[in-house]
Amino acid sequence: MSQDDLTCEEVLEQLFAYLDEELDDDRLAAIDRHLERCRDCFTRAEFEKRLRARVQQTGTAPAPDRLRQRLKKVLDRY
Ligand SMILES: [Zn+2]
């Protein structure tokens, strides 16, 4: 059976939806299978995954902290 084999192009087109798990199980499984066989797409997927993890970390962590410090300063005046 090769009807659900994806091309690299198809995988890259759906990579972001794949990482967000916005695809149905069959699609996710088909991409998983492709990534197991295709080193290029696997490397690309890993790169995007790490980039996202970093953006999420730096994007959310410092902001609330700064906000809390500013609020604390304001509250300390009263
Ligand atoms: Zn590929």
Side-chain angles (χ1 to χ4, degrees):
M1 288 294 275
S2 63
Q3 74 179 55
D4 59 5
D5 279 1
L6 298 169
T7 65
C8 292
E9 201 173 45
E10 285 171 327
V11 169
L12 292 179
E13 268 171 15
Q14 298 173 84
L15 189 57
F16 290 104
Y18 168 78
L19 292 174
D20 289 335
E21 294 183 0
E22 283 169 357
L23 302 168
D24 58 50
D25 289 350
D26 285 351
R27 283 270 144 178
L28 290 175
I31 293 176
D32 276 341
R33 275 200 299 278
H34 182 94
L35 294 181
E36 277 169 21
R37 286 191 320 251
C38 178
R39 201 177 172 78
D40 283 352
C41 289
F42 179 79
T43 305
R44 182 69 197 267
E46 278 299 301
F47 175 79
E48 293 292 347
K49 227 187 276 181
R50 253 172 245 172
L51 197 70
R52 275 173 178 236
R54 244 178 73 186
V55 168
Q56 274 167 8
Q57 269 175 11
T58 56
T60 56
D65 241 42
R66 247 183 324 195
L67 186 65
R68 215 178 303 141
Q69 276 179 4
R70 256 169 53 203
L71 280 173
K72 195 170 175 296
K73 243 181 233 171
V74 173
L75 289 171
D76 280 350
R77 273 192 234 156
Y78 294 102

